[in-house]
Amino acid sequence: MPAVSAPPPLRFPSRDFFEALREAMRAERERFSRLGFFDTTFGVRISSDDGGEPAEFALRFEVFDCVGVESLAGVETDFVVEGPFAAWREMLDTIHALGAADTAHSLNTLTHFGEQLRVRYDDPDGHDKLYRFAESIQEFFDLSARLDFAYPDGSRPPAARAERQRSAR
Amino acid sequence: MSYLSTTDFTEDQPFVDRFERMLRGDLDLSWLDAPRERVTCRPENARRGLTFRDLDVGSYGFTDMPELIRENRSFAPRGAAMPEGLPDLQAEVNRKSEVWAYNIEGYYEEAMTRQWNATTDIPWAELQSVELPEDIGKAYAQLLTFLTEVEMIATDVPAKWMGRLNADFFEVKNFIATQAMDEARHAEIFRKRALSTGWGLMRASAQNEFNLKFLRDADSFAEASLALHLQAEGMVLTLFRFSEYISPTEGDKKLFRLVMQDEARHVGYGMQHLKWVLDHFPERREAIHHHLDEAENFVFGGGYATEVLEPFIILSGKGLKKENIAEGVRITNAFQLKQADEYFERLAKCGLPERRERSRLWKMIDLRKQTMAA
Ligand SMILES: [Fe+2]
């Protein structure tokens, strides 16, 4: 009997990946409504390891939902989170293994001093939306723990650990 | 009792007669003819619900509100008919540009939907299962002591001003009410976290309290808002982000993300308010600089608050050993420069780009940058 092949996993980075996060968010409407109005458009920029063109997307949030994933070019954003593929991968790997970011990989921690990821903005008021909606944004990225995806080289994030012990210190 | 009725109603026969007539069914009904505007406001976006922006129509709205509120001196809700003889409440602030902010109605709605609960939204049981090393635990308990002290005054300041604003500034008063609630919750959560670390509260800070007293005793709402929303909370916002960065557990990180959301909203109001003032009441510019001069003096003096700075060094260096301290000093220095940079950046965006040139704080920071670079 011919083997039934599983559907190809999502790729990170890709528009489909963020569309899948958007779907996951929709499934968690109750949780995100509880967090409150979430009105911002921000960008993500994942630069490639080999010096190629970065992958760039604009994520549009309104009321309690993600209402659009677009390519970043020409979109007016409040801020853009950018960084090398390796930094994004490290964040996503941790989330996948633990179910949510640990102390070293929350978005605020990764961007605070711009050591791993950086936040670009023109208007400090737009920049401050990263903080006004901090918990919603973190929980949005934490939803990636549920996605089945692969990186460009075909490798996958680590499987979820049974013992989801995130660490102190 | 300082305010007494000029009438003793039980002794006032015409009043008693009218009251009895009404209870016999002889109604006055003059209020039925009160000249008011008929409107039916509906949500522009059904998913968002009925917002203050949906209510911004005609005499009920805020867009057409005059700069000086001469007419309404009472508690009459904006848009209601005002009969003769309403009391003059002698509100202290009756000029729109002294309180208004772009998008004030949006900040209010955001505040209402983003409320959270310190008792139930924090994974207290998970936090309890993590025992912090003594140096980290004590430093964290000291930071939490300082933050509790700060948040109590941050609650008092908006609460103090709320009743002093003209009733027509309804949206601002409501926003300030949410702020008082936010700050009370911050004081609550920092106290709860301090008392759950195993160390309890550490030491109050005199230097910090001088600064807090300055915030509380501002002579006008405009000064209070400038010093509280923009300067103090702007710096505290960077401090919360730094606290999230150095937090020892995921539960603590969540705690700081939740308080940072509220703080960023207050800073948003502060920025949009300052922009509004500079756009609509430009004569205030010099007074703003003078008030910032003193506010920044207090901030610089805050450098003496060892109860604040030292816990940061220990927490960011992750301990008390020599190499930990060196690393902690490096990181804390970077944090303080970032805090100042963001503060001046916000002022510039609000329309005060000359602040850097005029500020002695900026000069001190600049000097420190040069020393560090050398
Ligand atoms: Fe606060």
Side-chain angles (χ1 to χ4, degrees), chain B residues 80-103:
Chain B
M82 286 187 279
E84 288 287 304
L86 288 172
D88 183 341
L89 300 170
Q90 296 173 334
E92 286 176 37
V93 186
N94 298 292
R95 181 187 276 269
K96 185 179 180 187
S97 34
E98 281 184 81
V99 299
W100 210 256
Y102 293 105
N103 190 34

mmCIF file of all heavy atoms in Angstrom, chain B residues 80-103:
data_model
loop_
_atom_site.group_PDB
_atom_site.id
_atom_site.type_symbol
_atom_site.label_atom_id
_atom_site.label_comp_id
_atom_site.label_asym_id
_atom_site.label_seq_id
_atom_site.Cartn_x
_atom_site.Cartn_y
_atom_site.Cartn_z
ATOM 1 N N ALA B 80 -26.717 67.973 28.810
ATOM 2 C CA ALA B 80 -28.011 68.031 29.506
ATOM 3 C C ALA B 80 -28.498 69.477 29.553
ATOM 4 O O ALA B 80 -27.701 70.421 29.484
ATOM 5 C CB ALA B 80 -27.866 67.485 30.925
ATOM 6 N N ALA B 81 -29.822 69.654 29.658
ATOM 7 C CA ALA B 81 -30.364 71.001 29.836
ATOM 8 C C ALA B 81 -29.986 71.487 31.229
ATOM 9 O O ALA B 81 -29.992 70.715 32.182
ATOM 10 C CB ALA B 81 -31.870 70.955 29.688
ATOM 11 N N MET B 82 -29.615 72.781 31.325
ATOM 12 C CA MET B 82 -29.184 73.315 32.615
ATOM 13 C C MET B 82 -30.170 74.363 33.123
ATOM 14 O O MET B 82 -30.204 75.482 32.618
ATOM 15 C CB MET B 82 -27.791 73.911 32.483
ATOM 16 C CG MET B 82 -26.722 72.840 32.361
ATOM 17 S SD MET B 82 -25.060 73.498 32.415
ATOM 18 C CE MET B 82 -24.870 74.048 30.742
ATOM 19 N N PRO B 83 -30.995 74.006 34.089
ATOM 20 C CA PRO B 83 -31.965 74.964 34.613
ATOM 21 C C PRO B 83 -31.255 76.045 35.443
ATOM 22 O O PRO B 83 -30.088 75.892 35.805
ATOM 23 C CB PRO B 83 -32.852 74.097 35.506
ATOM 24 C CG PRO B 83 -31.947 72.993 35.953
ATOM 25 C CD PRO B 83 -30.990 72.736 34.822
ATOM 26 N N GLU B 84 -31.969 77.105 35.703
ATOM 27 C CA GLU B 84 -31.473 78.161 36.587
ATOM 28 C C GLU B 84 -31.130 77.557 37.945
ATOM 29 O O GLU B 84 -31.775 76.603 38.384
ATOM 30 C CB GLU B 84 -32.583 79.203 36.814
ATOM 31 C CG GLU B 84 -32.880 80.087 35.627
ATOM 32 C CD GLU B 84 -31.781 81.104 35.403
ATOM 33 O OE1 GLU B 84 -31.482 81.864 36.338
ATOM 34 O OE2 GLU B 84 -31.223 81.112 34.282
ATOM 35 N N GLY B 85 -30.126 78.125 38.597
ATOM 36 C CA GLY B 85 -29.915 77.810 40.006
ATOM 37 C C GLY B 85 -29.052 76.603 40.299
ATOM 38 O O GLY B 85 -28.986 76.154 41.438
ATOM 39 N N LEU B 86 -28.363 76.057 39.257
ATOM 40 C CA LEU B 86 -27.430 74.960 39.551
ATOM 41 C C LEU B 86 -26.267 75.543 40.351
ATOM 42 O O LEU B 86 -25.876 76.688 40.145
ATOM 43 C CB LEU B 86 -26.901 74.344 38.254
ATOM 44 C CG LEU B 86 -27.879 73.506 37.442
ATOM 45 C CD1 LEU B 86 -27.248 73.139 36.096
ATOM 46 C CD2 LEU B 86 -28.276 72.244 38.204
ATOM 47 N N PRO B 87 -25.686 74.766 41.270
ATOM 48 C CA PRO B 87 -24.593 75.311 42.080
ATOM 49 C C PRO B 87 -23.319 75.522 41.246
ATOM 50 O O PRO B 87 -23.090 74.799 40.274
ATOM 51 C CB PRO B 87 -24.368 74.232 43.135
ATOM 52 C CG PRO B 87 -24.885 72.980 42.534
ATOM 53 C CD PRO B 87 -26.021 73.386 41.635
ATOM 54 N N ASP B 88 -22.518 76.506 41.623
ATOM 55 C CA ASP B 88 -21.194 76.682 41.035
ATOM 56 C C ASP B 88 -20.232 75.846 41.875
ATOM 57 O O ASP B 88 -19.997 76.132 43.042
ATOM 58 C CB ASP B 88 -20.790 78.157 41.077
ATOM 59 C CG ASP B 88 -19.441 78.384 40.400
ATOM 60 O OD1 ASP B 88 -18.680 77.402 40.228
ATOM 61 O OD2 ASP B 88 -19.144 79.541 40.048
ATOM 62 N N LEU B 89 -19.700 74.786 41.262
ATOM 63 C CA LEU B 89 -18.836 73.864 42.019
ATOM 64 C C LEU B 89 -17.408 74.365 42.138
ATOM 65 O O LEU B 89 -16.578 73.750 42.785
ATOM 66 C CB LEU B 89 -18.835 72.495 41.356
ATOM 67 C CG LEU B 89 -20.211 71.854 41.277
ATOM 68 C CD1 LEU B 89 -20.165 70.627 40.408
ATOM 69 C CD2 LEU B 89 -20.707 71.503 42.669
ATOM 70 N N GLN B 90 -17.134 75.461 41.478
ATOM 71 C CA GLN B 90 -15.803 76.070 41.511
ATOM 72 C C GLN B 90 -14.704 75.072 41.155
ATOM 73 O O GLN B 90 -13.750 74.872 41.907
ATOM 74 C CB GLN B 90 -15.557 76.720 42.867
ATOM 75 C CG GLN B 90 -16.539 77.853 43.072
ATOM 76 C CD GLN B 90 -16.492 78.465 44.448
ATOM 77 O OE1 GLN B 90 -16.101 77.817 45.407
ATOM 78 N NE2 GLN B 90 -16.908 79.703 44.548
ATOM 79 N N ALA B 91 -14.893 74.433 40.015
ATOM 80 C CA ALA B 91 -13.848 73.520 39.519
ATOM 81 C C ALA B 91 -12.558 74.315 39.353
ATOM 82 O O ALA B 91 -12.589 75.491 38.987
ATOM 83 C CB ALA B 91 -14.290 72.928 38.185
ATOM 84 N N GLU B 92 -11.438 73.669 39.621
ATOM 85 C CA GLU B 92 -10.158 74.386 39.524
ATOM 86 C C GLU B 92 -9.650 74.443 38.095
ATOM 87 O O GLU B 92 -8.821 75.282 37.767
ATOM 88 C CB GLU B 92 -9.111 73.693 40.398
ATOM 89 C CG GLU B 92 -9.337 73.949 41.871
ATOM 90 C CD GLU B 92 -8.358 73.179 42.736
ATOM 91 O OE1 GLU B 92 -7.186 73.033 42.349
ATOM 92 O OE2 GLU B 92 -8.792 72.733 43.815
ATOM 93 N N VAL B 93 -10.096 73.509 37.260
ATOM 94 C CA VAL B 93 -9.598 73.487 35.884
ATOM 95 C C VAL B 93 -10.782 73.577 34.933
ATOM 96 O O VAL B 93 -11.632 72.684 34.897
ATOM 97 C CB VAL B 93 -8.792 72.200 35.601
ATOM 98 C CG1 VAL B 93 -8.168 72.261 34.208
ATOM 99 C CG2 VAL B 93 -7.712 72.007 36.646
ATOM 100 N N ASN B 94 -10.844 74.683 34.178
ATOM 101 C CA ASN B 94 -11.970 74.920 33.274
ATOM 102 C C ASN B 94 -11.515 75.198 31.846
ATOM 103 O O ASN B 94 -12.305 75.632 31.017
ATOM 104 C CB ASN B 94 -12.793 76.107 33.788
ATOM 105 C CG ASN B 94 -13.386 75.825 35.158
ATOM 106 O OD1 ASN B 94 -14.255 74.976 35.299
ATOM 107 N ND2 ASN B 94 -12.893 76.514 36.174
ATOM 108 N N ARG B 95 -10.230 75.031 31.593
ATOM 109 C CA ARG B 95 -9.696 75.267 30.251
ATOM 110 C C ARG B 95 -9.364 73.913 29.624
ATOM 111 O O ARG B 95 -8.581 73.136 30.181
ATOM 112 C CB ARG B 95 -8.428 76.122 30.344
ATOM 113 C CG ARG B 95 -7.812 76.445 28.993
ATOM 114 C CD ARG B 95 -6.473 77.145 29.185
ATOM 115 N NE ARG B 95 -6.636 78.578 29.384
ATOM 116 C CZ ARG B 95 -6.622 79.471 28.399
ATOM 117 N NH1 ARG B 95 -6.454 79.080 27.155
ATOM 118 N NH2 ARG B 95 -6.751 80.747 28.662
ATOM 119 N N LYS B 96 -9.968 73.652 28.459
ATOM 120 C CA LYS B 96 -9.832 72.331 27.834
ATOM 121 C C LYS B 96 -8.366 71.934 27.630
ATOM 122 O O LYS B 96 -7.977 70.799 27.914
ATOM 123 C CB LYS B 96 -10.584 72.326 26.499
ATOM 124 C CG LYS B 96 -10.616 70.967 25.828
ATOM 125 C CD LYS B 96 -11.387 71.005 24.505
ATOM 126 C CE LYS B 96 -11.420 69.654 23.837
ATOM 127 N NZ LYS B 96 -12.023 69.698 22.493
ATOM 128 N N SER B 97 -7.538 72.880 27.141
ATOM 129 C CA SER B 97 -6.172 72.454 26.819
ATOM 130 C C SER B 97 -5.339 72.137 28.058
ATOM 131 O O SER B 97 -4.259 71.576 27.926
ATOM 132 C CB SER B 97 -5.460 73.429 25.908
ATOM 133 O OG SER B 97 -5.818 74.714 26.145
ATOM 134 N N GLU B 98 -5.838 72.458 29.241
ATOM 135 C CA GLU B 98 -5.080 72.069 30.439
ATOM 136 C C GLU B 98 -5.253 70.588 30.794
ATOM 137 O O GLU B 98 -4.530 70.079 31.648
ATOM 138 C CB GLU B 98 -5.492 72.933 31.631
ATOM 139 C CG GLU B 98 -4.825 74.309 31.600
ATOM 140 C CD GLU B 98 -5.163 75.126 32.826
ATOM 141 O OE1 GLU B 98 -4.532 74.919 33.862
ATOM 142 O OE2 GLU B 98 -6.091 75.956 32.720
ATOM 143 N N VAL B 99 -6.238 69.929 30.172
ATOM 144 C CA VAL B 99 -6.474 68.515 30.512
ATOM 145 C C VAL B 99 -6.587 67.597 29.296
ATOM 146 O O VAL B 99 -6.364 66.397 29.401
ATOM 147 C CB VAL B 99 -7.778 68.324 31.321
ATOM 148 C CG1 VAL B 99 -7.709 69.067 32.628
ATOM 149 C CG2 VAL B 99 -9.001 68.791 30.527
ATOM 150 N N TRP B 100 -6.940 68.186 28.144
ATOM 151 C CA TRP B 100 -7.323 67.333 27.018
ATOM 152 C C TRP B 100 -6.128 66.651 26.373
ATOM 153 O O TRP B 100 -4.993 67.116 26.477
ATOM 154 C CB TRP B 100 -8.098 68.148 25.974
ATOM 155 C CG TRP B 100 -9.065 67.272 25.247
ATOM 156 C CD1 TRP B 100 -8.939 66.784 23.980
ATOM 157 C CD2 TRP B 100 -10.288 66.760 25.780
ATOM 158 N NE1 TRP B 100 -10.018 65.988 23.695
ATOM 159 C CE2 TRP B 100 -10.856 65.948 24.774
ATOM 160 C CE3 TRP B 100 -10.948 66.897 26.997
ATOM 161 C CZ2 TRP B 100 -12.052 65.277 24.945
ATOM 162 C CZ3 TRP B 100 -12.141 66.227 27.174
ATOM 163 C CH2 TRP B 100 -12.681 65.434 26.155
ATOM 164 N N ALA B 101 -6.403 65.539 25.707
ATOM 165 C CA ALA B 101 -5.357 64.816 24.977
ATOM 166 C C ALA B 101 -5.970 64.272 23.705
ATOM 167 O O ALA B 101 -7.147 63.889 23.699
ATOM 168 C CB ALA B 101 -4.829 63.661 25.826
ATOM 169 N N TYR B 102 -5.166 64.226 22.631
ATOM 170 C CA TYR B 102 -5.629 63.556 21.423
ATOM 171 C C TYR B 102 -5.952 62.103 21.807
ATOM 172 O O TYR B 102 -5.207 61.481 22.568
ATOM 173 C CB TYR B 102 -4.537 63.565 20.345
ATOM 174 C CG TYR B 102 -4.223 64.951 19.813
ATOM 175 C CD1 TYR B 102 -3.061 65.622 20.186
ATOM 176 C CD2 TYR B 102 -5.094 65.606 18.937
ATOM 177 C CE1 TYR B 102 -2.769 66.896 19.705
ATOM 178 C CE2 TYR B 102 -4.812 66.869 18.450
ATOM 179 C CZ TYR B 102 -3.650 67.514 18.837
ATOM 180 O OH TYR B 102 -3.371 68.773 18.365
ATOM 181 N N ASN B 103 -7.043 61.578 21.283
ATOM 182 C CA ASN B 103 -7.427 60.170 21.514
ATOM 183 C C ASN B 103 -7.739 59.831 22.974
ATOM 184 O O ASN B 103 -7.653 58.670 23.383
ATOM 185 C CB ASN B 103 -6.333 59.229 20.978
ATOM 186 C CG ASN B 103 -6.774 57.776 20.958
ATOM 187 O OD1 ASN B 103 -7.951 57.483 20.729
ATOM 188 N ND2 ASN B 103 -5.866 56.858 21.242
#
